[in-house]
Amino acid sequence: MKQPTVKTEKIILGIDPGTNVMGYGVIRVVGNKAEMVAMGVINMLKMSDPYLRLGHIFERVTGIIESYLPDEMAIEAPFFGKNVQSMLKLGRAQGVAIAAAIERQVPIHEYAPMKIKMAITGNGTASKEQVAGMLQRMLHLNPDEMPHYMDATDALGAAYCHFLQMGRPATTSGYKGWKDFINKNKERVGGL
């Protein structure tokens, strides 16, 4: 009897949601090694209609999924901010990217920005530049492969964070969800 084939390669799509610029990064995992396949941005700075932007996000994320056929998607979770309108817009952009993955039956994993930074740099408050620099070293990227927009490296960071989490048991540190975050950070989210 023939043994079932085990897939030894996994493609992970990372998304850094945004309403002006949305980053994406694709990595290929073979065994315990990861390599960058692609990264870039979906630039909507010249689009004024917010609903057309959402439609564009859906079309582009769907196209990226069709091009690279990811096995999983890692997306950065919107984080609490002072500007409620900005958070609502960011949540819509994230939701549209998630909907594109759901339509293509790609499993989704969500990571808080602090978790991604911690996984990449060992510092949950690292700057975007520090994250980009660590990814450049870990993935052996040439300086000319580094993008102009940090949204692309943030997305690559989400994908790489997911790679680092694969096969690891859930830990008791970190946050189990937004409610857990609020309970552990009442001074930061006052008024809720």
Side-chain angles (χ1 to χ4, degrees):
M1 183 159 122
K2 186 178 179 185
Q3 293 293 321
T5 10
V6 177
K7 189 170 185 181
T8 57
E9 178 183 281
K10 182 178 276 197
I11 303 293
I12 302 170
L13 167 63
I15 295 284
D16 177 40
T19 54
N20 291 322
V21 177
M22 179 176 276
Y24 68 90
V26 181
I27 63 172
R28 175 183 297 112
V29 176
V30 179
N32 63 355
K33 298 215 186 309
E35 66 177 358
M36 184 197 66
V37 175
M39 75 173 147
V41 295
I42 301 167
N43 190 332
M44 297 157 287
L45 289 169
K46 293 183 179 167
M47 300 176 81
S48 58
D49 186 308
Y51 302 108
L52 290 178
R53 285 181 181 203
L54 295 175
H56 187 67
I57 290 168
F58 187 84
E59 288 171 6
R60 291 283 288 121
V61 172
T62 300
I64 292 164
I65 290 170
E66 289 171 353
S67 295
Y68 297 103
L69 304 172
D71 297 290
E72 299 182 38
M73 182 173 87
I75 190 164
E76 186 173 301
F79 205 71
F80 285 108
K82 294 183 195 283
N83 186 328
V84 175
Q85 285 301 315
S86 294
M87 291 307 299
L88 287 171
K89 290 175 184 175
L90 190 58
R92 287 177 178 170
Q94 185 202 35
V96 169
I98 288 172
I102 289 169
E103 186 196 35
R104 297 292 186 216
Q105 300 176 341
V106 177
I108 302 147
H109 304 272
E110 190 173 31
Y111 294 98
M114 191 177 279
K115 172 103 176 168
I116 295 169
K117 291 175 181 182
M118 187 67 158
I120 305 299
T121 68
N123 175 4
T125 59
S127 68
K128 289 177 174 285
E129 291 79 12
Q130 289 171 314
V131 170
M134 283 300 290
L135 287 168
Q136 184 177 1
R137 285 188 285 286
M138 291 188 295
L139 293 169
H140 310 289
L141 304 176
N142 294 322
D144 60 329
E145 291 179 285
M146 298 306 289
H148 174 69
Y149 289 104
M150 293 286 174
D151 307 83
T153 50
D154 284 352
L156 193 65
Y160 198 81
C161 174
H162 183 62
F163 158 66
L164 294 173
Q165 302 303 308
M166 289 175 9
R168 292 185 181 177
T171 61
T172 53
S173 62
Y175 304 109
K176 296 179 183 122
W178 286 117
K179 203 177 261 187
D180 186 39
F181 172 82
I182 291 168
N183 288 334
K184 291 179 180 174
N185 294 277
K186 290 184 193 284
E187 72 286 350
R188 292 176 69 191
V189 293
L192 292 178

